[in-house]
Amino acid sequence: MYRARTVLTNLVPLASLIPRAAPDRFASWILKSDHILCSITGTDIRHYSSSVATEPFLNGSSSAYVEEMYNAWLADPKSVHVSWDSFFRNSSAGAAPGQAYQAPPSLAEPGRNQLPITSLAPLLGAAGAPALGGQVNEKVIDDHLAVQAIIRSYQIRGHHIAKLDPLGISSADLDDKHPPELLYSHYSFEEGDMDRVFKLPSTTFIGGKEKALSLREILSRLENAYCRHIGVEFMFINSLEQCNWIRQKLETPGVMEISSEEKRLILARLTRATGFEAFLARKWSSEKRFGLEGCEILIPAMKAVIDKSTELGVESIVMGMPHRGRLNVLANVCRKPLEQIFTQFAALEAADDGSGDVKYHLGTYIERLNRVTNKNIRLAVVANPSHLEAVDPIVQGKTRAEQFYRGDGEGKKVMSLLLHGDAAFCGQGIVYETFHLSDLPDYTTHGTIHIVVNNQIGFTTDPRHSRSSPYCTDVARVVNAPIFHVNSDDPEAVMHVCKIAAEWRATFHKDVVIDIVSYRRNGHNEIDEPMFTQPLMYRKIKTTPHVLDKYSKRLIEEGVVTTEEVKDVRDKYEKICEESYLNARKETHIKYKDWLDSPWSGFFEGKDPLKVSPTGVKEDTLVHIGKRMSSPPPNAAEFVIHKGIERILRSRMEMVESRTVDWALGEGMAFGSLLKEGIHVRLSGQDVERGTFSHRHHVLHHQLVDKATYRPLCHLYPDQGPYTVCNSSLSEFGVLGFELGYSMTNPNALVCWEAQFGDFNNTAQCIIDQFISSGQAKWVRQSGLVMLNPHGLEGMGPEHSSARLERFLQMSSDDPDYFPPESEEFAVRQLHDINWIVANCSTPANYFHILRRQIALPFRKPLILMTPKSLLRHPEAKSSFDEMTENTQFLRVIPDQGPASQNPSSVKKLLFCTGKVYYDLKKAREERKLEGDIAISRVEQISPFPYDLIKKECAKYSNASLAWAQEEAKNQGSWTYVQPRFHTALSGSRDVSYVGRPTAASPATGSKMQHLKELNALLDDALSL
């Protein structure tokens, strides 16, 4: 009986918890107890429910039975039931009271607070001791849940306490607080719990092959992964697969170990990056160069991204960056000849045309062998003005175009790499607009790698005053891009995140951000004094050794390199720089062409630079395209189109049969005839598929099936060029920039951007000013981009009336006082010499010709078109096929063809105008029966100014008074541009008066009544004799 009682002491889990219940009185205590035992029962999902015994627990028969069982087990363990065998085995092994008994298996579902014992078995004791006698303390479960919460907290918030600042003076997230959920004491753990072993959840990879770790080891590995020199934000991503992918790359034990060879490569690259800046600082100490000092690690970082990407199949990388570090990137990433860079510091004359740009804005294009992967790589750095982030959408457009022409539909061969500064990345709206394009079907580049050179300061502004978000990279969260913050003074950590970023892009084809937290060793530029505004920061910077010195020291201590090897690498690069410097001094001119970022091989060669191909086409072509545009889809029986569209198609067919075109048909024929020639046409902008004014309808929609569409212009000819028409996001800056980048890639494409209303182009003013109007002069880079700007005063208010024609004309580079020599090539020579073409066509035929002329020219110029609104449906704004067939061309000026032109000497007034106002003047002239007295000539191409034709037209009407009529206010529209040019064309012999609205601050009135009153005044003034 004694032995049985000893065994039963082990059987009773509560004996040790009840001080007032002696073991021998335990049975009577448990029956009278009013305590409730709240426990979690471990079950094996097989449980035979039976009622509690009514007899006292240790009465005679029970204790005798237990003793009998025990004796039988001693004689032969197999003679008793397996549950008794297990119990006696555990007791004999010295199991603590209450820990020997295991509940019998159960088939029933676990009840409340129950779970299968097997799920906890490995964890319930450090030595794998038997489970808690079938009854698991709730604390064990709570502790396991707490461990899971700790792991998740590190994954979500570990970046907040990562040591990211190489200066050690501030937090990258502008918050010095330690999130409490990253402290183990927050979860009621104590030091004594640190060696307890816990099962690892499936949401972490810190165990490697181990399934359970001690709490101490769990915390240590999490700290290592998330709180050292890498801080990662990724848990907001709504894809478990992507989150797990990142966890695995960061948490797997030993994942950051690299070979000695790789360490030496980092050192060599870091030496070149540092040596380049030091060399420039020595040779040109007082020159602005916006060096990289303080973030030299950027160069090895970019090279790591390029190495990994080329290894994964990328063949071409398009890069955009601000000015900081640009020369170093050109020298050490692109491997641009150092002589070409050094000549930019000498005050030399240019050997070619253009006004050029400062050296730290220039781009380049290089094809070279990547020595690490032994594969060829094309690198383009796109030229960028001082508008730091303006280049972002241009890079994306150029990348998308390269992918398109290569047939790289998944972005596996061509990718974009964008560099940013911290203040600009969070401060400039174009960053968001560009991110916003990243996943749109017609704009995606299938993932961009963004690298932020985080100086922790903008010019002189402290980050605490320049952003409202914790990090400068928070804008990237809108597209679920993972963000890797990394300390710039840990080169191996930087390389690790660069490789992860390149692999992420190759795996998921989504954007990713690397935030290199660094500092700026000098002021905003080399001659700027930063101590005025950041005294404490710059005192610390002065005492901070260069990252190259820190890393060299570390590798010497590790025995990876010797002091002599470090010196040897430095000296070698110094020698290369010196040799290039001596060669550069022999140069007599700088060549802008050396810095071209988008060369068009074979486009200009063998072409007469002043010969324009014909723009008229065969009538058969016009009829074929017209009929295709007027027909429903071939499977019209199944494809249900809108009744209104049916009417439009019928009226188009009637026009084709009567050999006339309206605006939409004329445009369609221009596009279609270019497609026939194999030219790619792309039309992009807000609502362009239908057209803002419901006139275009290039995409027909099935009325009963979602996403079922038909694009007539894609089905004209079997071997035609591809046609893309795509509605854009509601962005002008971003999308116009994107289309400009797209147009730079291939000259044999017609790329058009259409504003919803011309008034909205001013939110893209930066692209217009910095790139479109001046791009060729600054960077010898041509573009044939077409901007379509709906323009005209029609009583729709100040924001739906004017595309601000005057601004484009003001930026035109032709001289108002110079009448070029008249010759056969007068018109094309003017086009060749100007920065862009500004036109306001009044007929569909002229619109047709000017679009085709963009491709017919032997060079490329941007075309700024004022396009109509009411003329889209005006019965007189139609053209005959006769104005579009062979031997017809674009008319820069359309002279009067009415009675006045038959008897010019009796004409009393010659009116010049442009665009829609012609139809208002013509109608008023008819009403007043003045067709013989007043001639009206239309200036279709305003810039470059058609001096020759204006002179001829004025000479024809030698007795007439001359006037310029426009619907815009006097300080707007064309008047200020044409006035001095009329004077030049006529050598000051005749005056040209102004007819139109008086000067105004606003482009138009908001009152329909006032609008009509102003229009009538304009007409009265114009037609008064």
Side-chain angles (χ1 to χ4, degrees):
M1 187 65 203
Y2 165 75
R3 278 179 301 178
R5 269 188 196 283
T6 310
V7 169
L8 282 168
T9 306
N10 287 339
L11 180 65
V12 179
L14 295 173
S16 59
L17 305 177
I18 320 298
R20 65 176 190 273
D24 57 340
R25 294 201 299 279
F26 179 70
S28 50
W29 171 83
I30 201 167
L31 287 177
K32 295 175 198 163
S33 173
D34 54 0
H35 284 66
I36 294 169
L37 171 63
C38 177
S39 68
I40 294 181
T41 309
T43 74
D44 255 343
I45 326 288
R46 238 184 342 179
H47 183 70
Y48 305 100
S49 300
S50 55
S51 56
V52 180
T54 51
E55 64 177 340
F57 177 48
L58 288 183
N59 68 1
S61 59
S62 293
S63 53
Y65 171 67
V66 172
E67 193 158 11
E68 188 184 324
M69 282 297 194
Y70 181 60
N71 289 329
W73 177 76
L74 285 174
D76 177 10
K78 289 183 180 163
S79 66
V80 297
H81 188 268
V82 66
S83 59
W84 282 110
D85 176 37
S86 166
F87 167 64
F88 292 135
R89 209 183 285 276
N90 290 342
S91 293
S92 305
Q99 300 221 343
Y101 173 66
Q102 287 176 335
S106 156
L107 285 175
E109 284 298 309
R112 181 175 172 276
N113 283 352
Q114 292 186 329
L115 76 167
I117 193 80
T118 50
S119 68
L120 293 172
L123 314 160
L124 300 176
L132 296 180
Q135 298 203 331
V136 180
N137 189 311
E138 214 177 35
K139 178 169 164 47
V140 174
I141 303 303
D142 285 347
D143 288 353
H144 270 82
L145 292 173
V147 168
Q148 288 202 24
I150 288 175
I151 292 170
R152 186 171 172 81
S153 292
Y154 270 92
Q155 292 166 343
I156 296 174
R157 295 195 175 79
H159 57 88
H160 286 300
I161 57 167
K163 299 166 193 73
L164 298 175
D165 180 12
L167 300 174
I169 52 179
S170 65
S171 296
D173 63 351
L174 309 182
D175 184 355
D176 294 327
K177 293 198 288 290
H178 194 304
E181 54 273 45
L182 297 178
L183 301 168
Y184 67 86
S185 55
H186 178 73
Y187 299 90
S188 67
F189 285 123
E190 294 163 5
E191 183 55 39
D193 295 309
M194 293 299 269
D195 294 315
R196 282 175 59 198
V197 174
F198 292 89
K199 180 175 187 286
L200 297 171
S202 61
T203 51
T204 187
F205 295 84
I206 53 171
K209 289 178 179 161
E210 297 170 80
K211 296 283 183 281
L213 291 173
S214 69
L215 180 57
R216 191 183 306 281
E217 189 61 23
I218 288 171
L219 292 173
S220 162
R221 293 189 186 189
L222 288 170
E223 288 272 340
N224 247 347
Y226 293 110
C227 306
R228 282 185 66 245
H229 293 148
I230 299 172
V232 194
E233 294 180 90
F234 69 100
M235 290 291 282
F236 53 80
I237 297 173
N238 49 18
S239 158
L240 180 61
E241 179 200 4
Q242 290 171 13
C243 287
N244 276 340
W245 188 92
I246 292 171
R247 288 175 182 132
Q248 191 162 9
K249 296 284 176 190
L250 291 165
E251 296 178 355
T252 307
V255 77
M256 274 184 65
E257 288 166 14
I258 60 171
S259 66
S260 297
E261 201 51 52
E262 288 173 284
K263 291 180 181 183
R264 278 198 289 271
L265 179 63
I266 296 170
L267 182 68
R269 287 173 167 179
L270 198 48
T271 304
R272 282 174 167 256
T274 310
F276 179 79
E277 297 296 353
F279 186 81
L280 295 186
R282 257 200 332 278
K283 298 290 183 190
W284 296 280
S285 56
S286 60
E287 278 264 6
K288 279 191 204 175
R289 57 189 161 82
F290 295 96
L292 203 49
E293 289 99 332
C295 192
E296 294 93 341
I297 196 64
L298 173 69
I299 301 302
M302 289 177 75
K303 289 175 86 82
V305 167
I306 292 166
D307 291 347
K308 181 52 81 172
S309 299
T310 48
E311 183 191 313
L312 296 167
V314 170
E315 295 167 5
S316 176
I317 298 178
V318 184
M319 295 181 270
M321 66 179 298
H323 38 276
R324 181 159 320 285
R326 179 178 283 259
L327 296 178
N328 208 324
V329 167
L330 294 173
N332 286 313
V333 177
C334 301
R335 294 284 175 86
K336 187 164 189 62
L338 292 175
E339 289 87 344
Q340 291 179 10
I341 295 172
F342 295 160
T343 24
Q344 284 288 330
F345 284 90
L348 300 178
E349 272 187 45
D352 35 20
D353 293 337
S355 54
D357 200 351
V358 290
K359 51 195 163 290
Y360 41 81
H361 286 171
L362 299 172
T364 197
Y365 174 89
I366 300 267
E367 287 194 43
R368 67 172 180 81
L369 181 73
N370 182 313
R371 291 174 195 161
V372 174
T373 56
N374 213 27
K375 291 180 177 180
N376 275 328
I377 182 79
R378 297 160 103 182
L379 301 172
V381 177
V382 178
N384 190 31
S386 289
H387 298 62
L388 300 168
E389 299 287 347
V391 78
D392 299 356
I394 290 163
V395 167
Q396 300 299 57
K398 183 171 160 55
T399 306
R400 172 71 185 211
E402 264 201 53
Q403 290 172 350
F404 177 83
Y405 296 121
R406 280 169 167 249
D408 181 20
E410 293 176 24
K412 291 182 175 176
K413 298 270 194 296
V414 186
M415 68 171 255
S416 52
L417 177 61
L418 285 176
L419 272 60
H420 312 269
D422 52 321
F425 196 56
C426 59
Q428 308 241 310
I430 187 56
V431 175
Y432 175 78
E433 288 189 34
T434 307
F435 267 119
H436 199 47
L437 299 174
S438 66
D439 223 9
L440 304 183
D442 291 297
Y443 300 87
T444 179
T445 55
H446 308 284
T448 298
I449 297 176
H450 301 263
I451 302 179
V452 180
V453 175
N454 187 345
N455 296 315
Q456 307 186 79
I457 187 173
F459 204 148
T460 66
T461 306
D462 187 301
R464 288 166 295 194
H465 298 154
S466 70
R467 68 174 186 257
S468 298
S469 57
Y471 292 104
C472 62
T473 52
D474 287 341
V475 63
R477 295 169 71 114
V478 298
V479 292
N480 273 338
I483 300 162
F484 297 90
H485 307 282
V486 60
N487 185 320
S488 65
D489 276 9
D490 184 346
E492 289 172 24
V494 177
M495 296 313 111
H496 183 57
V497 299
C498 288
K499 284 175 191 161
I500 295 175
E503 287 170 0
W504 164 274
R505 195 257 168 203
T507 307
F508 298 109
H509 291 285
K510 292 176 78 70
D511 284 39
V512 54
V513 178
I514 302 165
D515 174 25
I516 304 178
V517 184
S518 56
Y519 56 91
R520 194 183 65 198
R521 200 166 272 279
N522 301 310
H524 174 65
N525 59 55
E526 287 66 29
I527 47 182
D528 191 54
E529 176 50 82
M531 292 287 280
F532 291 154
T533 50
Q534 272 73 34
L536 302 180
M537 183 186 214
Y538 275 85
R539 205 164 289 139
K540 177 72 176 174
I541 287 171
K542 278 178 183 170
T543 61
T544 302
H546 286 80
V547 62
L548 176 61
D549 299 337
K550 287 184 183 177
Y551 194 56
S552 306
K553 187 179 171 200
R554 179 173 147 192
L555 294 193
I556 291 165
E557 285 168 3
E558 287 178 13
V560 174
V561 291
T562 62
T563 315
E564 289 71 38
E565 283 173 315
V566 170
K567 185 175 182 302
D568 188 38
V569 175
R570 284 189 194 194
D571 294 347
K572 263 188 192 161
Y573 188 65
E574 176 73 23
K575 188 164 173 256
I576 291 169
C577 290
E578 280 293 351
E579 284 171 8
S580 301
Y581 176 68
L582 293 173
N583 292 336
R585 293 184 69 176
K586 296 172 192 164
E587 290 288 334
T588 55
H589 288 82
I590 52 170
K591 299 185 187 76
Y592 296 143
K593 285 195 176 73
D594 289 342
W595 301 82
L596 189 59
D597 55 21
S598 309
W600 292 338
S601 56
F603 176 66
F604 298 103
E605 287 79 14
K607 270 196 182 128
D608 180 342
L610 297 175
K611 188 174 187 309
V612 187
S613 306
T615 55
V617 298
K618 290 183 175 151
E619 185 160 338
D620 291 352
T621 304
L622 298 177
V623 171
H624 175 77
I625 296 166
K627 285 190 169 169
R628 277 292 162 97
M629 283 190 69
S630 313
S631 306
N635 57 338
E638 297 121 51
F639 196 102
V640 184
I641 57 177
H642 192 277
K643 292 282 181 280
I645 300 283
E646 284 179 0
R647 278 197 305 279
I648 290 167
L649 296 181
R650 275 198 302 275
S651 70
R652 274 186 191 168
M653 189 63 88
E654 286 162 14
M655 277 192 284
V656 174
E657 284 161 3
S658 62
R659 301 182 69 254
T660 57
V661 297
D662 64 0
W663 202 269
L665 205 46
E667 177 188 75
M669 286 177 176
F671 289 175
S673 55
L674 290 171
L675 293 170
K676 184 184 185 213
E677 294 162 25
I679 300 295
H680 168 44
V681 178
R682 176 180 168 96
L683 172 62
S684 160
Q686 292 157 27
D687 314 295
V688 295
E689 295 176 10
R690 190 201 77 170
T692 302
F693 310 102
S694 198
H695 68 290
R696 186 173 284 127
H697 300 291
H698 282 192
V699 180
L700 306 183
H701 291 262
H702 195 309
Q703 295 297 294
L704 304 176
V705 181
D706 184 35
K707 293 182 187 166
T709 59
Y710 174 69
R711 298 166 189 240
L713 286 177
C714 294
H715 304 283
L716 299 174
Y717 301 95
D719 55 350
Q720 68 173 64
Y723 178 53
T724 305
V725 55
C726 45
N727 290 339
S728 74
S729 70
L730 207 70
S731 147
E732 285 83 25
F733 192 164
V735 177
L736 180 59
F738 186 96
E739 301 310 329
L740 174 65
Y742 200 105
S743 74
M744 281 159 33
T745 308
N746 182 349
N748 297 312
L750 183 72
V751 181
C752 307
W753 174 81
E754 183 174 69
Q756 194 180 60
F757 281 84
D759 310 66
F760 304 146
N761 68 38
N762 60 5
T763 62
Q765 198 68 47
C766 176
I767 297 293
I768 296 165
D769 293 352
Q770 260 55 47
F771 295 89
I772 302 177
S773 81
S774 55
Q776 185 177 350
K778 293 194 288 193
W779 309 312
V780 292
R781 178 171 84 195
Q782 296 190 14
S783 162
L785 179 72
V786 180
M787 280 181 71
L788 303 173
N789 302 283
H791 171 84
L793 278 72
E794 294 171 1
M796 294 178 74
E799 276 75 56
H800 292 83
S801 297
S802 172
R804 292 293 189 175
L805 170 60
E806 63 279 0
R807 289 188 183 156
F808 294 102
L809 293 172
Q810 187 222 346
M811 288 190 280
S812 291
S813 62
D814 61 335
D815 185 345
D817 304 320
Y818 175 66
F819 192 142
E822 292 186 68
S823 67
E824 289 273 310
E825 292 100 23
F826 183 90
V828 68
R829 192 176 288 281
Q830 269 196 312
L831 296 175
H832 178 274
D833 294 345
I834 202 164
N835 59 328
W836 59 15
I837 305 158
V838 183
N840 189 359
C841 300
S842 62
T843 71
N846 238 9
Y847 179 46
F848 166 87
H849 282 295
I850 202 167
L851 288 176
R852 285 185 49 79
R853 190 180 73 175
Q854 282 299 94
I855 299 298
L857 288 169
F859 44 81
R860 293 290 173 261
K861 296 285 171 176
L863 171 61
I864 314 299
L865 274 177
M866 302 295 118
T867 56
K869 293 173 282 188
S870 60
L871 295 195
L872 298 173
R873 292 179 179 77
H874 197 291
E876 289 191 43
K878 289 190 175 170
S879 297
S880 160
F881 281 6
D882 295 332
E883 298 164 61
M884 300 160 72
T885 48
E886 291 165 300
N887 303 319
T888 61
Q889 61 179 5
F890 174 71
L891 303 174
R892 291 175 293 144
V893 172
I894 302 179
D896 194 303
Q897 286 149 348
S901 64
Q902 264 81 63
N903 190 7
S905 57
S906 62
V907 170
K908 296 173 183 153
K909 193 171 196 177
L910 170 58
L911 284 175
F912 287 98
C913 67
T914 182
K916 174 197 76 95
V917 75
Y918 165 74
Y919 292 95
D920 296 327
L921 292 167
K922 181 170 177 274
K923 184 182 173 200
R925 183 180 66 173
E926 280 168 18
E927 287 169 355
R928 298 171 201 209
K929 304 211 169 14
L930 294 170
E931 290 100 318
D933 299 318
I934 297 177
I936 306 174
S937 285
R938 289 170 266 175
V939 180
E940 300 279 293
Q941 176 183 293
I942 311 166
S943 178
F945 192 69
Y947 291 101
D948 53 337
L949 300 179
I950 294 291
K951 178 182 166 187
K952 186 174 156 194
E953 197 69 1
C954 293
K956 180 178 174 182
Y957 301 98
S958 54
N959 301 324
S961 63
L962 306 177
W964 174 265
Q966 66 176 38
E967 52 182 355
E968 302 90 352
K970 191 174 185 179
N971 57 325
Q972 297 162 26
S974 313
W975 173 240
T976 49
Y977 176 85
V978 300
Q979 185 188 19
R981 288 166 176 81
F982 269 117
H983 187 272
T984 302
L986 304 171
S987 307
S989 59
R990 292 164 77 182
D991 286 337
V992 180
S993 59
Y994 168 79
V995 172
R997 289 172 167 85
T999 57
S1002 172
T1005 173
S1007 154
K1008 189 78 174 173
M1009 183 67 74
Q1010 178 67 15
H1011 166 75
L1012 293 171
K1013 195 172 157 191
E1014 289 173 2
L1015 178 61
N1016 289 329
L1018 184 160
L1019 297 173
D1020 290 342
D1021 194 5
L1023 300 172
S1024 64
L1025 292 170

